Amino acid sequence: MQSAVTICLVPEARQGPFVFHDGLEAGCRAAAELGFDGVEIFPDSAAGFEGSGVAGCLAASGLALAAVGSGAGWVKHKLHLCHPDPTVRAEAVSFVGELVDRAGDLGAPVIIGSMQGRSEGDVTREQALALLADALDALGARAARHGQVVLYEPLNRYESNLFNRQADAVEFLGAHRIANVKLLCDLFHMNIEEADMAGVIEACGSAVGHVHWADSNRQAIGCGHTAVGPIVDALRRIGYHGFLSAEVFPAPTSLAAARQSIESFRTFTKG
Ligand code: LER
Ligand code: MN
């Protein structure tokens, strides 16, 4: 398994659960100094991502690009994949699609978390799920052109009413025969929604594509009460070799959260 830490490039998401907020170069430098394998970046758009000098920062720091978040499409631009307005939905698909191309060029997958949206207004749950299936199908196919997957992230009930539990999402992807989409298991959301976090990870097996390494209170692992030992054992049993990416609040500081995240990663993955 590999370690990663989040860098947010969106001032509007300053209060969000991301470790570094002071630019790409400073974030990559700190991540490399602490010994992370990779970084997960939350850009404002595909153009902003490309213009951020990301390729140069990764090369200079020797870090891998673990994943790219698409949530600014919602946080900043108020787009989502199940929006009642078809024009906004189309913009949402194109916002994520352009990120899929830019991230794909750098060998990384894109995350669909808050961009999935919710069923609301005149959009019934059935309609929202049909829209989600179409969008994931199209974006998975686009990612495949780069030899990548898209990462679909079930969120807790306060953030989405689509899928809150991992196994429900796996069943949905299978029922719709959606290819090139894997699960993002965020341990913070799972702590709220799952009865048996380790058991669910084991049951999801090869569907698991990425992990957000966050404790029960959304601080670095070790600062809350999630028992990560059995979770890491389950990841080992399913042969997971992907990233454990620290998507947590910069509490008490970015550096302290990053240090605690890499130390907990080493403690739980060694041996
Ligand atoms: C949102 O709560 C979250 O976990 C992010 O990874 C989604 O973009
Ligand atoms: Mn997450």
Side-chain angles (χ1 to χ4, degrees), residues 112 116 132 136 150-154 162-163 169 181-184:
I112 297 179
Q116 67 192 274
L132 180 68
L136 289 178
V150 160
L151 298 168
Y152 173 68
E153 179 175 22
L162 298 179
F163 291 107
V181 177
K182 290 212 173 205
L183 279 187
L184 195 175

Side-chain angles (χ1 to χ4, degrees), residues 32-129:
E33 274 168 21
L34 288 165
F36 281 95
D37 299 308
V39 286
E40 179 179 316
I41 300 176
F42 190 88
D44 68 347
S45 63
F49 180 59
E50 202 166 21
S52 66
V54 55
C57 282
L58 293 172
S61 56
L63 292 161
L65 182 60
V68 176
S70 65
W74 166 244
V75 174
K76 192 174 158 108
H77 309 283
K78 296 299 166 218
L79 307 172
H80 73 73
L81 299 175
C82 300
H83 198 282
D85 181 340
T87 312
V88 178
R89 286 201 301 270
E91 272 182 61
V93 173
S94 111
F95 181 92
V96 181
E98 285 168 21
L99 272 179
V100 164
D101 289 340
R102 297 291 79 76
D105 288 344
L106 296 170
V110 165
I111 296 167
I112 297 179
S114 16
M115 272 300 268
Q116 67 192 274
R118 61 202 54 75
S119 136
E120 62 188 359
D122 291 338
V123 180
T124 64
R125 176 169 179 80
E126 199 185 357
Q127 288 167 333
L129 295 185

Side-chain angles (χ1 to χ4, degrees), residues 6 17-18 40 42 68-72 75 111-116 153-156 159 184 186-189 210 212 218 247:
T6 44
F18 305 104
E40 179 179 316
F42 190 88
V68 176
S70 65
V75 174
I111 296 167
I112 297 179
S114 16
M115 272 300 268
Q116 67 192 274
E153 179 175 22
L155 302 177
N156 73 68
E159 295 186 38
L184 195 175
D186 183 322
L187 302 184
F188 167 72
H189 298 303
H210 196 71
H212 277 162
R218 223 168 199 184
E247 186 194 61

Side-chain angles (χ1 to χ4, degrees), residues 1 44 80 113 160 200 231 237 254:
M1 281 176 257
D44 68 347
H80 73 73
S160 178
V200 163
I231 293 170
R237 281 198 294 277
S254 293

